[in-house]
Amino acid sequence: RIQLFDTDLKLKVLPLEGRFHRMSELTKPTSRRVKSRIQYALQGFRSASTTAFALIGLGATAYFAYEYNEMNEVKKKLGTDDKKVLVVPFHRIQLREKKKRSFDFDRSWFSSEDDRMVQVEVQEMVKVIHAAAQDPNIVALYGNFGEGGFRTGGWAHVEEIRNAMKVFRESHRIHLNPNLSHDKVILRRSNGSPKPSFAYADTFSTPNDKGNKDYLVACAFSHVHMQKNGELQLFGISASNPFFRSFMEKYGIKAHVFKHGKYKNAPNIFTETQYTREHRQNTQNLVDQLDENERDIIVNDRNFRGFDPMVWKMIRKHGTFTGLQSKKLGLVDHLPPLDPLENLLKANKDDETKTFMKEKWGNETDIDKFQAVKKISFADYKSILAKREKLELRNWKINSKLKKLADRSSAFESLLAVLGFPAPIYNIRQEEFCEAKQEEEKIAIIHVEGSINDAVARKTVASLRKIKDDPKVKAVVLRIETPGGSVVSSETILQECKDLPQPIVCSMANVCASGGYYIATGCNRIFALPTTITGSIGVFAVKFDFTGLAKKYGISVDHITSGPHAATYNPFHPLNKLVKMNLSQNVDRTYEHFKSLVAESRGLEMNEVESLAQGRVWTGREAKENGLVDELGGLERAIDFAQRNYTKGEAEVERWPKTENTLEHVKKLMETTKGGMLESLKLIANMLQNDVLNSRKPAILNEYDATKHLVQTILENPKCAETFHSGNVLLIMDESSALSHHVLESYEQLI
């Protein structure tokens, strides 16, 4: 070992005269030669160590200087002195659970910035508003609602944004659970004052704003402005369902329905001509609950006193309110002639300008409460925060690696200390250090979105299996946004959840019903917002009979089968007694299994579950009262629960399934495709073609469009008879979703 060590170092490190001196050693006694060689080895090691330490020190210094510069750039963009207002263009925002890669959406790149519709994830919006609440340089938030157009997925999205706005307005307080709308989680800080928020709309009367969602979000702001000639419509909540029984009879189409649950209304669209008693009762209850929620929001946010149900009925009965009427009733605060933002910014330049602006605007805005001198757009602020988060995450990953190396070698730990990076903080600033972050723990958010079919199940299962093998993932938050779907696909996801070693917290979005609730039974804790639509514990199956349609066009279909059930799913085979009995048994068995899952998950007796089931739909608030969910709160509330109960409190949150942008997808195809460039280009061309087809495909079908599309497809493409899925047991909440599920499944197979 000495010979190899000595020779290697001498040839590379020792000076030239050392080599000649080595030759004279051969005449010395052995003990003296060994001693001499050890001395040379130590000298070489000392020289090599000095060089290595110098290189390590130089590299570490260069890296930390780079990181410091990057972080300073981010802080410079955020600003250290200038007071800013964060401007959120709600009228150009399309709120989504999760962004989707699409060539069609990328066409917005060619639009001007003022006209471009922007996809924003709910969690992104909430995180930006929360960050602005804690940012001392953001002194106000300004929401522009324009003429309407703020697109949300539903009522729960409205609540998520409103709760985030409450955090902003109460930024002078500490929010222990920042996305829950009650006061028990708020502690008053010793200093600070509330930050103002200003909402402006040209009008609150756009036909696109069903249910006054724009106005309900605006009510969460401390100051509500509406252009003086604008209008406010508080028409109320409505639900409507077309029924196609007569239409289908005209074309000779029959729908044989097998269902369990008298409130399971999804197949009524095929079998009824109007609301049944149970259907009307279920829908009316939902409308009443949402209307009551809207009333409570307006009463509380606008500080109305003595606002009883009779007054609310008068408002609903009145119709459209003019700007002046809205202000006198206290529904809006100011009626400026135009958007006041630019004038508010100018007013803070100097005292003279402020005096002029006060005279100009009078009581049509609150200039004294507005302290900002510059504005920062939502897109820019979100981009800066994303960069800061990326840098912080990278720093903590390096910190964790340094800790592991230092734990293995005290010499390395001493070296870092000499370089100015002492344990345990290493490369992290003292004021930002948190020991829990060194653990590299993770919380995985898995999105289950859309009608639950085989594609959704495969995607969800793939994510769960990857997470299962990751020891850093300590908990999973299952974010569910679905009216239901196939029982087989729902069962596949449920069983994969049960096999997961990590605990699962469910966060219900706008809708988590039927198949969505079926999956939620596999979670350790269930969160829903008060306006989340959930429940619909019931099942049904539909067998379509197109023999009458075929007969009308002179088509006869004969069958040769090897058994009485062989043509069960053939829509040109009439229903027989054995098939009817078998489908009824399938539905009964699935319903009992569904109820047993609920009973086991919620700790209820089967008779208690039956009283809550039968296909009934509940709001999140009702579901909390009857024991179908555990707590009221949004996604941030669910994440916070997972952080407190399953991690050390500072786990990294990652999203699943991973989203690829268009360029990443093309690059992946080019790298992995066998057959070279030509084959890659073919696949990319197919991908583009599919995007075009998908843009033509009805992504969100209403009942009329879906039925029209169904009949048209059957008439124009006989192959549809072979691919149309009828007779399968389904866990779907409503009529539109049921019809869309049938049509889209067939459409995808045809494509």
Side-chain angles (χ1 to χ4, degrees):
R1 290 174 62 188
I2 292 173
Q3 178 65 34
L4 291 172
F5 186 66
D6 186 20
T7 304
D8 184 57
L9 284 178
K10 276 186 178 180
L11 292 175
K12 294 184 178 180
V13 178
L14 291 183
L16 186 60
E17 57 269 25
R19 299 186 189 178
F20 290 103
H21 182 64
R22 180 185 169 211
M23 295 177 65
S24 65
E25 290 178 350
L26 299 175
T27 61
K28 295 179 181 178
T30 304
S31 61
R32 292 180 63 188
R33 283 206 309 270
V34 171
K35 182 178 179 182
S36 178
R37 292 160 78 88
I38 291 174
Q39 288 176 348
Y40 287 133
L42 292 175
Q43 182 183 349
F45 177 73
R46 190 180 301 114
S47 177
S49 299
T50 303
T51 305
F53 284 179
L55 290 173
I56 292 173
L58 181 63
T61 303
Y63 169 75
F64 293 132
Y66 169 76
E67 289 292 319
Y68 183 79
N69 181 63
E70 286 286 294
M71 191 59 74
N72 276 350
E73 283 295 317
V74 171
K75 288 186 175 181
K76 186 178 178 181
K77 287 181 180 178
L78 288 173
T80 54
D81 299 319
D82 293 332
K83 295 179 179 180
K84 294 184 176 67
V85 55
L86 175 63
V87 182
V88 184
F90 285 99
H91 62 302
R92 294 193 288 106
I93 287 178
Q94 184 179 14
L95 213 57
R96 286 183 171 274
E97 276 296 308
K98 203 166 187 296
K99 290 179 185 175
K100 296 180 180 179
R101 177 184 56 80
S102 169
F103 283 99
D104 182 64
F105 179 74
D106 291 347
R107 291 172 192 166
S108 65
W109 295 344
F110 301 102
S111 305
S112 67
E113 186 176 353
D114 292 336
D115 298 330
R116 187 183 305 165
M117 288 300 297
V118 183
Q119 284 190 16
V120 178
E121 294 180 0
V122 179
Q123 193 184 14
E124 278 184 326
M125 175 77 81
V126 170
K127 285 174 69 175
V128 168
I129 296 175
H130 283 180
Q134 299 300 316
D135 189 341
N137 299 305
I138 301 294
V139 297
L141 192 148
Y142 194 91
N144 190 341
F145 292 86
E147 295 182 12
F150 179 39
R151 303 178 188 178
T152 67
W155 295 100
H157 283 176
V158 172
E159 286 200 84
E160 294 269 21
I161 304 307
R162 283 181 46 79
N163 288 342
M165 283 303 305
K166 181 174 183 179
V167 173
F168 183 87
R169 288 179 61 178
E170 296 176 344
S171 55
H172 59 301
R173 299 177 178 180
I174 301 172
H175 290 253
L176 302 182
N177 295 307
N179 212 35
L180 188 64
S181 55
H182 61 63
D183 294 332
K184 288 189 293 184
V185 297
I186 300 174
L187 303 175
R188 190 170 293 279
R189 283 194 176 122
S190 58
N191 53 15
S193 57
K195 292 184 179 182
S197 50
F198 293 70
Y200 172 80
D202 296 317
T203 184
F204 285 114
S205 64
T206 173
N208 298 326
D209 180 19
K210 297 178 180 178
N212 310 112
K213 293 186 180 71
D214 280 11
Y215 180 67
L216 293 184
V217 174
C219 280
F221 288 68
S222 58
H223 299 72
V224 180
H225 299 70
M226 184 173 71
Q227 200 268 342
K228 66 178 182 180
N229 289 321
E231 297 173 337
L232 173 61
Q233 294 177 348
L234 296 176
F235 290 169
I237 312 297
S238 68
S240 58
N241 291 101
F243 297 92
F244 292 97
R245 176 178 173 177
S246 300
F247 175 82
M248 293 170 69
E249 287 174 351
K250 178 181 177 181
Y251 282 91
I253 301 172
K254 291 181 182 179
H256 302 284
V257 172
F258 307 86
K259 70 175 183 177
H260 224 308
K262 60 183 180 180
Y263 293 99
K264 196 68 178 176
N265 305 314
N268 287 3
I269 189 173
F270 307 124
T271 60
E272 305 296 334
T273 58
Q274 60 184 5
Y275 283 114
T276 62
R277 184 172 64 86
E278 294 80 8
H279 193 171
R280 181 177 295 279
Q281 180 184 344
N282 207 13
T283 307
Q284 186 65 57
N285 177 67
L286 194 61
V287 169
D288 291 344
Q289 290 292 320
L290 294 174
D291 187 74
E292 183 180 342
N293 181 74
E294 182 176 335
R295 183 193 68 197
D296 291 344
I297 286 173
I298 294 173
V299 169
N300 293 329
D301 286 354
R302 304 310 301 166
N303 296 316
F304 288 143
R305 298 286 182 265
F307 201 87
D308 57 28
M310 289 302 297
V311 176
W312 184 245
K313 284 184 179 179
M314 290 173 62
I315 287 177
R316 289 298 198 207
K317 188 177 180 180
H318 178 81
T320 302
F321 290 95
T322 65
L324 188 58
Q325 288 172 329
S326 301
K327 185 177 180 181
K328 284 185 176 180
L329 286 171
L331 295 169
V332 300
D333 299 302
H334 309 287
L335 297 174
L338 47 82
D339 187 344
L341 177 60
E342 296 300 328
N343 283 267
L344 286 169
L345 290 168
K346 290 177 182 177
N348 289 316
K349 286 187 175 181
D350 52 61
D351 293 339
E352 185 179 346
T353 307
K354 177 170 277 193
T355 302
F356 172 76
M357 288 299 175
K358 282 184 177 181
E359 292 175 357
K360 175 182 176 181
W361 287 88
N363 295 323
E364 298 310 336
T365 190
D366 193 339
I367 292 177
D368 290 328
K369 289 284 181 68
F370 192 89
Q371 301 296 319
V373 295
K374 287 185 179 180
K375 64 179 177 179
I376 182 168
S377 70
F378 176 83
D380 288 343
Y381 193 64
K382 181 165 72 74
S383 176
I384 294 168
L385 292 176
K387 186 172 182 180
R388 183 176 69 179
E389 184 179 0
K390 185 178 178 181
L391 287 171
E392 289 175 349
L393 182 60
R394 189 166 65 191
N395 279 342
W396 278 108
K397 285 184 177 179
I398 291 170
N399 180 272
S400 180
K401 287 181 172 60
L402 291 176
K403 182 178 181 296
K404 289 177 181 177
L405 291 171
D407 290 343
R408 294 175 188 171
S409 169
S410 58
F412 185 75
E413 184 177 348
S414 300
L415 172 63
L416 289 174
V418 170
L419 294 173
F421 308 111
I425 65 173
Y426 302 115
N427 61 319
I428 305 298
R429 291 179 174 86
Q430 180 70 50
E431 63 274 12
E432 297 173 357
F433 179 73
C434 177
E435 191 173 351
K437 287 189 177 181
Q438 290 182 318
E439 301 297 326
E440 290 190 289
E441 294 179 324
K442 294 181 181 178
I443 292 174
I445 302 177
I446 300 180
H447 289 265
V448 182
E449 188 177 2
S451 180
I452 303 174
N453 52 25
D454 180 59
V456 171
R458 280 188 284 107
K459 191 182 294 185
T460 306
V461 167
S463 298
L464 287 167
R465 288 178 179 172
K466 288 177 182 177
I467 288 166
K468 185 190 301 182
D469 299 329
D470 189 347
K472 293 180 181 179
V473 177
K474 303 302 179 183
V476 172
V477 175
L478 204 63
R479 177 71 166 180
I480 305 178
E481 168 73 298
T482 174
S486 161
V487 66
V488 176
S489 299
S490 301
E491 179 71 16
T492 300
I493 297 173
L494 174 63
Q495 292 304 323
E496 201 67 38
C497 287
K498 288 184 174 182
D499 192 51
L500 202 70
Q502 297 95 332
I504 304 177
V505 179
C506 173
S507 171
M508 296 181 174
N510 299 293
V511 179
C512 178
S514 206
Y517 193 83
Y518 190 99
I519 296 169
T521 60
C523 299
N524 301 74
R525 197 78 172 171
I526 300 177
F527 287 81
L529 284 154
T531 52
T532 296
I533 298 172
T534 187
S536 191
I537 302 167
V539 300
F540 73 93
V542 181
K543 174 173 169 52
F544 288 96
D545 184 350
F546 295 154
T547 52
L549 175 67
K551 188 176 180 180
K552 281 181 178 290
Y553 288 89
I555 301 171
S556 60
V557 182
D558 205 355
H559 306 275
I560 299 175
T561 63
S562 59
H565 298 286
T568 295
Y569 300 127
N570 190 325
F572 291 105
H573 191 282
L575 184 70
N576 60 45
K577 220 178 251 189
L578 285 175
V579 170
K580 181 178 181 180
M581 185 184 302
N582 185 54
L583 290 175
S584 295
Q585 290 173 349
N586 291 345
V587 169
D588 293 345
R589 184 175 61 253
T590 304
Y591 182 60
E592 290 302 315
H593 177 59
F594 195 172
K595 288 197 299 179
S596 69
L597 290 174
V598 177
E600 181 183 357
S601 171
R602 308 309 303 166
L604 301 171
E605 298 295 331
M606 287 293 282
N607 60 340
E608 293 179 294
V609 175
E610 177 65 19
S611 66
L612 300 174
Q614 303 180 57
R616 288 199 68 171
V617 176
W618 309 95
T619 62
R621 180 177 282 109
E622 291 176 311
K624 171 69 168 62
E625 292 170 357
N626 60 36
L628 291 177
V629 305
D630 296 298
E631 296 189 43
L632 294 179
L635 180 57
E636 290 297 315
R637 174 83 164 127
I639 294 170
D640 180 74
F641 178 87
Q643 290 275 22
R644 286 186 287 107
N645 290 276
Y646 305 121
T647 75
K648 293 186 178 179
E650 293 292 341
E652 174 194 348
V653 177
E654 60 179 12
R655 310 285 293 279
W656 293 83
K658 302 289 186 181
T659 303
E660 292 179 338
N661 61 39
T662 303
L663 295 178
E664 288 173 344
H665 194 62
V666 171
K667 183 180 178 182
K668 187 175 178 181
L669 283 175
M670 300 292 283
E671 289 174 349
T672 60
T673 305
K674 296 179 180 179
M677 179 71 74
L678 182 60
E679 194 65 28
S680 298
L681 291 174
K682 285 182 180 178
L683 281 175
I684 294 169
N686 288 335
M687 183 176 68
L688 285 165
Q689 183 181 9
N690 286 336
D691 271 356
V692 173
L693 288 170
N694 287 334
S695 67
R696 292 166 52 196
K697 182 173 69 175
I700 301 175
L701 294 169
N702 59 41
E703 294 86 345
Y704 175 77
D705 291 337
T707 306
K708 179 181 176 183
H709 175 77
L710 168 63
V711 174
Q712 182 181 354
T713 305
I714 292 169
L715 294 176
E716 293 180 355
N717 195 336
K719 185 182 176 184
C720 185
E722 301 171 15
T723 61
F724 194 78
H725 283 224
S726 65
N728 293 335
V729 180
L730 295 174
L731 303 169
I732 296 182
M733 179 191 72
D734 59 3
E735 301 79 2
S736 179
S737 301
L739 191 54
S740 296
H741 179 87
H742 275 303
V743 175
L744 294 181
E745 284 284 291
S746 302
Y747 201 99
E748 286 170 1
Q749 291 194 33
L750 285 171
I751 289 175

